[in-house]
Amino acid sequence: MKKKLLALTLALAMSLPLVACGEDAPSSTTGNNASSSASTGDPIIMKVAGTFNDESFMGIYLHEYFKPYVDEHSNGRISVEIYTNSVLGSDRELVEGMQMNTIQAAVSPVNVIANFNMPKLNAISMPYLFQSREDAYEQLDGEFGAYMAEGLPETVGIRSLRWGESAIRCLSSNVRPILTPADCKGQKFRVMEAAIDMAIIEALGGSPTPMAFNELYTGLQQGTVDGQDNGLVMTYSMKFHEVQKYYTVSEQYFLANGFIVSEIFWQSLPDDLKQVVQDGADYAMEKGREIVVQQEAEFTPIMEEAGMEITYLTDEQKAAFKEATSTVWDRIDELVQDEKAIEMAETLYAR
C-alpha cells in the first residue's frame, strides 16, 4: 500500500511542472488576435513593418495616413505600431513573421513574396511591362492585380489588401554613366534575392549581387557593389546619392509592393474591423501614389546639387534597354510558372 501511495505521489509531482509550463508558454500565432484582446479588454496590437525609412513615401503614408485612420475608425480597438528601417528584419523575414502572426502586416515587394512558392507574382515585374506609372496602377487595381493576389492566403499565409508602388526601378553606378546596356558590363549591381531581379541585371550585362537592403549603403560606400537599381525616391531617402555618382532613369521595370496582412491576424478580426483595416490600406496607398510624384519632383534637384549626375534616356536609348531585356521574356515560363499570369503579362507587353 505504501509503495502504491508513493508512486501516485511521485507521478502527481512530476505532472505539475508540465502543467505550469503549458499554461505559461506563449503562442506566436494567437497572441495578437482579436479574440484574446476582446477577453482582456485591451486594444488589438497591429504591428506594421517595412525595410524602408520613415522619410520615404511608404514611411509617410504608414505614419500619417494608415495609422491615424485605423486608430480613429476602430475607436481604439486596434492600436497600430509601425516598425520601419528593417528593425523587425529583412523583407523575407517580415513575410515569415506574418506567417507566424508575430508581425501583423507589412509593405512588401512582390519579388520577395514570389519566393514563397508564388512565382506568378514575377509577372508583375517583367521588364517594360507597363507603359507608365498610371498604367501600372490601373492594371494592378484591375483584373491583373486581382489575379496576382489569388492564392496568397492558402499558399503563403498572407493576404494582399492593395497593390502599390515600391519604385520604378532605375540604375545608379559609381563607375560610369549608364547610357546603354553595354555600360552595365563588368559592374556589380545590388539586387533583392529574387529571380526576376537577377534575370534583368544579367540581361543588361551586369553582375547581380544579392544584398540585404539595410547593408546597401555600406556596400556602395565600400565598393562591395558598384551600383544598385532602386527608384529615385528610395535612392534619395536612403541617402544612396551620397555614395553614388551616376543615376540613369532607365525605368527597366515597375516594382510593386503589397499592403500585406497575416492571414491568421485577418481571420481573427470581426468583419467591421476587417473593413477598417481594408479602408485604411486603400486610403494610405492612394496617398502614397500622390506623395511619390511630389517627392520625385522635390528630390531630383537636391540630388543634382549634391553632385549626382542624373541622366534621362531618350526614346531611342530606352529602346535599346527594352531590346536587351527581351531575353527575360524568353524565360517567362520558367520565371512565372502560371499559364494565366503569363498570358495576361504577354498581352500587356504586346500593346
Side-chain angles (χ1 to χ4, degrees):
M1 180 68 181
K2 287 183 179 181
K3 288 183 178 180
K4 289 183 179 180
L5 182 60
L6 178 60
L8 180 62
T9 302
L10 287 172
L12 180 61
M14 291 175 67
S15 70
L16 288 176
L18 296 175
V19 173
C21 289
E23 290 175 348
D24 293 341
S27 171
S28 62
T29 59
T30 60
N32 283 309
N33 62 28
S35 58
S36 61
S37 295
S39 65
T40 62
D42 296 328
I44 301 165
I45 301 301
M46 183 178 184
K47 295 180 181 178
V48 185
T51 57
F52 42 83
N53 65 17
D54 293 332
E55 289 73 37
S56 69
F57 67 96
M58 291 175 280
I60 290 172
Y61 70 59
L62 286 182
H63 282 287
E64 297 187 11
Y65 297 100
F66 180 75
K67 175 178 170 57
Y69 185 95
V70 173
D71 286 351
E72 176 185 351
H73 287 80
S74 70
N75 295 315
R77 293 161 65 196
I78 297 178
S79 178
V80 176
E81 298 177 356
I82 297 171
Y83 299 87
T84 54
N85 289 297
S86 304
V87 296
L88 295 186
S90 66
D91 285 312
R92 180 178 185 86
E93 289 168 333
L94 297 186
V95 175
E96 292 168 345
M98 285 183 284
Q99 290 178 317
M100 297 183 292
N101 196 31
T102 55
I103 299 169
Q104 284 66 60
V107 178
S108 300
V110 294
N111 296 3
V112 172
I113 304 170
N115 288 333
F116 288 82
N117 200 30
M118 285 292 289
K120 76 172 182 179
L121 290 176
N122 286 326
I124 300 175
S125 302
M126 291 298 289
Y128 298 103
L129 174 68
F130 304 116
Q131 297 177 343
S132 65
R133 169 178 276 138
E134 292 71 26
D135 179 45
Y137 294 158
E138 180 180 351
Q139 302 306 327
L140 290 171
D141 289 346
E143 181 184 359
F144 179 67
Y147 183 68
M148 292 299 112
E150 288 182 13
L152 281 171
E154 299 83 2
T155 304
V156 192
I158 60 176
R159 176 179 297 261
S160 177
L161 300 186
R162 185 74 180 268
W163 298 121
E165 176 178 345
S166 174
I168 299 177
R169 305 290 271 207
C170 301
L171 297 168
S172 72
S173 170
N174 261 334
V175 177
R176 65 180 76 92
I178 299 173
L179 305 180
T180 70
D183 293 323
C184 297
K185 188 174 181 179
Q187 294 198 56
K188 293 179 291 184
F189 292 93
R190 177 269 174 185
V191 296
M192 290 185 291
E193 192 173 348
I196 190 72
D197 294 68
M198 292 187 277
I200 290 173
I201 293 298
E202 287 173 352
L204 291 173
S207 176
T209 306
M211 178 180 292
F213 192 56
N214 61 351
E215 298 173 1
L216 179 51
Y217 184 96
T218 302
L220 293 168
Q221 187 179 46
Q222 296 179 349
T224 307
V225 289
D226 302 305
Q228 50 104 38
D229 71 337
N230 275 291
L232 191 145
V233 170
M234 193 65 72
T235 296
Y236 174 82
S237 62
M238 297 302 293
K239 304 186 186 303
F240 298 149
H241 67 290
E242 295 179 348
V243 288
Q244 290 277 269
K245 297 176 183 177
Y246 309 105
Y247 188 87
T248 299
V249 184
S250 48
E251 299 180 323
Q252 62 267 18
Y253 80 95
F254 180 96
L255 176 61
N257 57 31
F259 199 109
I260 307 298
V261 296
S262 162
E263 184 67 7
I264 296 170
F265 173 72
W266 181 256
Q267 293 301 336
S268 78
L269 295 176
D271 288 344
D272 63 325
L273 291 186
K274 286 179 182 176
Q275 192 62 55
V276 168
V277 173
Q278 178 68 69
D279 291 346
D282 289 336
Y283 177 54
M285 294 297 236
E286 286 293 337
K287 286 296 183 180
R289 294 175 179 184
E290 298 173 12
I291 299 167
V292 68
V293 174
Q294 296 168 1
Q295 287 192 334
E296 281 186 355
E298 177 186 351
F299 296 159
T300 298
I302 298 175
M303 292 165 67
E304 290 177 320
E305 289 170 10
M308 175 173 263
E309 181 181 315
I310 299 178
T311 299
Y312 293 85
L313 297 179
T314 65
D315 290 344
E316 184 178 355
Q317 287 173 320
K318 188 172 289 186
F321 280 80
K322 185 174 182 179
E323 175 62 27
T325 56
S326 65
T327 58
V328 179
W329 284 90
D330 295 336
R331 297 174 55 191
I332 191 170
D333 289 351
E334 165 202 343
L335 292 167
V336 177
Q337 301 177 30
D338 182 285
E339 289 186 12
K340 184 173 179 178
I342 291 169
E343 180 183 354
M344 296 175 87
E346 289 180 333
T347 300
L348 291 176
Y349 185 62
R351 291 174 298 166

